[in-house]
Amino acid sequence: PRAATAPLDQLPFRSMQVPSQWHQHGVDYDGTAWYRIDFTIGEALHNKDLAIALPYLVWAHQCYVNGRLIGEAGRIGRDGQFISGNAQPRAYHIPAYLLRWEAGQRNTLALRVRSYEYIGGFIGPDIYLGSAHTVIEKHRRSEVWTVFLCGVIFVVALTHVISFLGRRKERQYLLFSLLAFSATCITVGLSGIMFFLTDEMLVHLLVLHYGITTVSGWLLLFFHEYFSVPYNRLMRALIVLSGGCLLWFTASLVYAPVFKYYSFYGVPAILGLILITFLYCFYLTVNAMRRNMEGARIVLIGFSLYAVATTNDVLSFLQFLSTARVHDEGLLAFIISMAVAVSLRFSRTHNQLESTYARLEESERRYRELIDKSTDMVFSLDRNGRITMINRAVRDYLGLSVKAVMGRHINDILYSEPQMRSLDQFNVYLMGQKIEEVLTEKNRVSFHNLFRTNLHEPRELDVEMEFMQTETGPVISGRARGRTEDEMNRMKISEAQSYELMNYLSLAETLAHQIGLGLTRYMEYDDAMSLRLALREIIINAIEHGNLAITFDEKSAAQNEGHYFDLLRDRQADPRYRDRRVYIRYAIDSRRARFLVRDQGAGFDHQEMMSRRPHDLNEQVLMHGRGLIYAVSEFDSVTFNQVGNAVYLVKNFRT
């Protein structure tokens, strides 16, 4: 194409509008084309060097003045064939001796441009021709400014990626960073900066079109996340179209013929999609501002600036205006406005968190003081039963230091006595059952257990445990205190009760403890607790050997292998035994305590067992017959029925 003569007057340079890419004008041509313009030189520039600044041209070009080559990007052969590619924006020096100064004489500027897959012509908008110093200086400033703009947007994107890594629940940081990366790709692509890094046109197209095909999707996702707007059909449809455009462009890189149709039809469709997306997001911003949402006004200002900049560039491109192009500046203002809005929300959230943390720290400090000053032994366990926290009351109750207890299993501070293995195992079994109950049923449990002091003596404590869910997982919060006595027990004259127990050892402990508290009215506490232990052993025998039919040999083998409680659980679930019950009746008055314990088992040879003397019992009898021997030593009368599945116990009180 040939333009009209354009004189260079007193201005240091002149801006000239040039055609855009020729395929956008319907020219289906892949090859080399010439652009030409004639100009005259005003007196102010006579005998002075000139310069010309060229924008990004596809894919290679040569610049001639009066028939002399003054510069090129890439290489084009004589017959127009492509040799090498480079599309960097360039500024070329025009020596004075190449120019014609006489009045009325014309100089000719010619550009030879090589296309890339049907894309040929000018990507950038303007050519600058004028004084060498002024034009080259302007070109350098333009390059520095463009690099600065791209750098700012890229840094904004990078900082929000880092913010997201620090707070992964805040998806708005990630979405905004991806949006800023897309904006960076668009700015880099439209300015031709990528060609300073590589001459590969494919890389440049990948960067540019990744930006324009993804910016709509990231913009939609960010605005819906930032303004807390539920997803709707329009938003989903726009995202699907954006993804389709990205797939279309990817296919064009793999299969060259598709690239032609992508350039002709895909790019205009994408630009239309971007316009619709911006209008939709503008609508969301206006609605957010009406709801007085934080950051909406700032984003609206950014929208307005970008809209003005884009409108100016469109009108300038259509030659309705002769103003400078400010699209990149408008895009930067838009990105910065959103960054400021995100930062304001982050600042507000951070201030709220600081305030919350301060209140939590104060609350935790007060809570810690309450725990440390508590007379109860307060502790917490992980799901495996290990002590993760315990207060200083552990020294008062057990004589142990906090440091010595922390990190150990709760079983390590339970009481054990070598010559009373079943009692030792029962304490562990009871604690294990209660921990499992708390974890599975997530409710509060109360029970009694024997703990070990630093002198290896037993200390009976009332224990309460409950379930707590924390960020690090389930935690069992517990509290233990000294024995509590029901005040009403002191007023009782007599009592009589009947119970029906299922086959759980913990029930034996609970009932024996309750009865033991009632006995303290008539006996010394230590004597009452000894009687309680003897009664508990009788009830446990009724469960184990009576209802569950566990023989002495089976119990011995299971204990030696460490699987006794597995055997116990299997028998409790066995249909043959699970419905059996232990029946207990008792009466206590000021003269004596009487107990009847009956199970639904087959009974045993109680006469043979009762005929043995304690010093004649072997190790197995120590393990299993201790309950009966203990009962004989504590009760004044122990009488079995003929079958051996019921026993009558009597304890006379001293008058």
Side-chain angles (χ1 to χ4, degrees):
R2 180 181 177 85
T5 302
L8 285 176
D9 53 19
Q10 303 298 324
L11 297 175
F13 65 88
R14 185 173 181 82
S15 174
M16 295 172 287
Q17 298 291 337
V18 296
S20 61
Q21 302 173 55
W22 59 63
H23 80 280
Q24 294 178 355
H25 296 277
V27 179
D28 188 2
Y29 169 66
D30 185 19
T32 303
W34 285 87
Y35 291 87
R36 176 179 170 180
I37 188 170
D38 294 335
F39 64 93
T40 60
I41 302 175
E43 293 183 1
L45 295 177
H46 275 195
N47 298 317
K48 292 183 179 180
D49 291 349
L50 302 182
I52 182 171
L54 297 176
Y56 157 32
L57 290 94
V58 180
W59 181 17
H61 70 264
Q62 295 172 331
C63 184
Y64 294 86
V65 173
N66 294 331
R68 297 286 297 274
L69 179 66
I70 62 172
E72 63 181 340
R75 295 191 62 191
I76 307 173
R78 284 182 174 274
D79 57 355
Q81 78 274 20
F82 170 75
I83 299 176
S84 64
N86 190 303
Q88 294 178 11
R90 296 291 181 92
Y92 299 122
H93 184 264
I94 307 175
Y97 66 83
L98 292 181
L99 301 171
R100 303 185 184 100
W101 310 103
E102 291 78 6
Q105 283 194 324
R106 295 181 177 181
N107 295 275
T108 300
L109 170 65
L111 287 174
R112 191 185 188 200
V113 180
R114 182 64 170 83
S115 68
Y116 175 83
E117 295 290 344
Y118 305 97
I119 299 179
F122 294 77
I123 302 296
D126 299 320
I127 292 177
Y128 295 100
L129 176 64
S131 167
H133 173 76
T134 305
V135 171
I136 291 176
E137 185 68 21
K138 177 178 176 60
H139 176 72
R140 289 175 179 172
R141 289 180 180 178
S142 177
E143 286 183 341
V144 171
W145 177 244
T146 303
V147 171
F148 172 75
L149 290 178
C150 295
V152 169
I153 299 176
F154 178 78
V155 169
V156 168
L158 188 61
T159 54
H160 283 80
V161 168
I162 296 173
S163 298
F164 171 72
L165 294 176
R167 292 184 56 83
R168 298 194 178 185
K169 292 183 179 179
E170 301 290 341
R171 293 178 61 241
Q172 58 183 324
Y173 296 142
L174 175 63
L175 295 173
F176 178 71
S177 65
L178 293 172
L179 172 62
F181 277 127
S182 293
T184 303
C185 291
I186 293 174
T187 307
V188 168
L190 292 177
S191 64
I193 292 177
M194 182 59 62
F195 291 107
F196 286 95
L197 304 177
T198 176
D199 292 339
E200 289 293 333
M201 188 69 177
L202 190 63
V203 176
H204 170 80
L205 290 174
L206 185 63
V207 171
L208 172 62
H209 288 275
Y210 168 79
I212 65 174
T213 54
T214 59
V215 67
S216 296
W218 299 135
L219 191 66
L220 286 166
L221 290 171
F222 169 73
F223 270 80
H224 274 264
E225 181 74 21
Y226 183 77
F227 290 130
S228 302
V229 179
Y231 291 177
N232 52 47
R233 292 182 179 179
L234 176 60
M235 181 263 192
R236 291 189 176 95
L238 292 175
I239 289 180
V240 169
L241 290 175
S242 178
C245 291
L246 179 60
L247 292 176
W248 191 358
F249 168 66
T250 304
S252 71
L253 296 179
V254 177
Y255 186 58
V258 178
F259 186 77
K260 174 181 177 180
Y261 296 99
Y262 172 79
S263 301
F264 287 167
Y265 308 110
V267 173
I270 292 171
L271 296 178
L273 177 63
I274 292 175
L275 177 60
I276 294 173
T277 300
F278 269 79
L279 292 176
Y280 174 69
C281 291
F282 182 81
Y283 166 76
L284 294 180
T285 305
V286 172
N287 277 348
M289 189 176 68
R290 290 175 180 173
R291 290 182 288 159
N292 293 321
M293 293 192 68
E294 189 175 34
R297 294 181 183 275
I298 296 175
V299 175
L300 189 62
I301 292 173
F303 257 122
S304 302
L305 293 175
Y306 185 64
V308 170
T310 304
T311 303
N312 170 82
D313 283 19
V314 171
L315 294 177
S316 178
F317 179 79
L318 297 175
Q319 300 186 13
F320 288 106
L321 296 176
S322 58
T323 55
R325 307 292 174 84
V326 290
H327 172 271
D328 291 346
E329 290 78 359
L331 181 60
L332 176 64
F334 181 53
I335 294 296
I336 292 298
S337 70
M338 288 189 289
V340 171
V342 172
S343 298
L344 286 176
R345 178 167 294 185
F346 172 80
S347 177
R348 177 176 60 84
T349 303
H350 180 70
N351 290 336
Q352 290 177 345
L353 285 175
E354 280 190 337
S355 177
T356 302
Y357 285 145
R359 291 195 299 269
L360 285 175
E361 288 178 355
E362 177 64 19
S363 176
E364 184 178 356
R365 183 185 64 79
R366 293 180 179 179
Y367 178 69
R368 176 65 64 178
E369 288 182 354
L370 289 175
I371 289 178
D372 286 339
K373 293 178 180 179
S374 174
T375 57
D376 294 343
M377 189 172 73
V378 182
F379 60 90
S380 62
L381 310 176
D382 62 18
R383 64 178 307 114
N384 297 317
R386 295 198 173 276
I387 300 172
T388 57
M389 187 279 295
I390 196 165
N391 67 345
R392 289 179 289 189
V394 67
R395 181 177 294 277
D396 299 330
Y397 280 102
L398 306 180
L400 301 172
S401 66
V402 173
K403 184 177 180 181
V405 174
M406 285 290 294
R408 298 177 64 180
H409 199 281
I410 187 67
N411 292 343
D412 293 340
I413 60 173
L414 296 180
Y415 178 71
S416 62
E417 190 172 345
Q419 68 270 26
M420 300 175 70
R421 293 194 197 176
S422 61
L423 180 61
D424 175 20
Q425 288 196 5
F426 179 78
N427 293 335
V428 174
Y429 168 78
L430 178 62
M431 182 62 73
Q433 287 287 93
K434 295 303 181 181
I435 290 176
E436 183 177 353
E437 181 180 347
V438 170
L439 291 175
T440 54
E441 300 183 12
K442 297 181 174 56
N443 56 9
R444 178 179 295 184
V445 299
S446 299
F447 60 101
H448 321 280
N449 215 333
L450 289 178
F451 287 79
R452 174 181 58 82
T453 69
N454 61 330
L455 300 176
H456 295 277
E457 295 176 347
R459 178 73 187 272
E460 185 178 18
L461 300 178
D462 294 336
V463 183
E464 290 182 359
M465 297 194 306
E466 61 181 327
F467 178 86
M468 294 181 62
Q469 182 65 47
T470 67
E471 292 183 357
T472 57
V475 171
I476 298 173
S477 175
R479 182 183 294 269
R481 61 177 66 90
R483 179 184 60 87
T484 57
E485 182 177 345
D486 186 356
E487 293 294 329
M488 297 300 294
N489 284 328
R490 299 177 182 177
M491 306 177 190
K492 276 195 270 187
I493 299 175
S494 65
E495 62 174 307
Q497 294 288 342
S498 299
Y499 291 94
E500 178 182 312
L501 302 186
M502 294 181 292
N503 299 312
Y504 297 112
L505 303 188
S506 57
L507 296 179
E509 164 62 21
T510 302
L511 180 58
H513 179 81
Q514 178 179 321
I515 295 173
L517 290 179
L519 291 171
T520 56
R521 173 174 174 78
Y522 311 102
M523 309 172 64
E524 295 293 334
Y525 175 77
D526 290 342
D527 294 335
M529 290 302 103
S530 296
L531 199 68
R532 186 207 80 175
L533 292 178
L535 178 62
R536 187 187 74 179
E537 291 298 320
I538 290 294
I539 299 174
I540 289 175
N541 281 344
I543 293 173
E544 290 180 335
H545 305 306
N547 284 350
L548 300 181
I550 299 174
T551 66
F552 290 162
D553 292 338
E554 288 175 334
K555 184 173 182 178
S556 299
Q559 284 183 329
N560 292 334
E561 296 172 2
H563 302 306
Y564 174 67
F565 291 107
D566 294 332
L567 171 63
L568 189 64
R569 281 189 287 269
D570 290 341
R571 291 295 176 92
Q572 288 169 340
D574 193 320
R576 295 175 296 173
Y577 312 116
R578 66 187 178 192
D579 295 327
R580 291 181 175 181
R581 297 291 184 264
V582 176
Y583 299 95
I584 301 168
R585 293 168 53 194
Y586 74 90
I588 303 175
D589 55 32
S590 59
R591 295 181 299 165
R592 61 182 176 269
R594 293 168 292 169
F595 302 91
L596 177 63
V597 180
R598 179 173 62 85
D599 61 66
Q600 294 182 300
F604 74 108
D605 188 356
H606 57 89
Q607 294 179 350
E608 190 274 337
M609 181 66 70
M610 293 289 290
S611 65
R612 297 185 180 185
R613 297 180 180 179
H615 62 269
D616 294 331
L617 299 177
N618 57 24
E619 183 179 355
Q620 287 191 355
V621 175
L622 281 173
M623 294 172 64
H624 314 309
R626 184 183 58 80
L628 182 56
I629 302 303
Y630 200 13
V632 170
S633 65
E634 292 295 330
F635 287 95
D636 296 317
S637 173
V638 178
T639 307
F640 285 89
N641 66 354
Q642 186 175 359
V643 177
N645 66 347
V647 61
Y648 181 67
L649 309 168
V650 178
K651 177 66 176 180
N652 297 314
F653 302 139
R654 297 176 183 175
T655 58

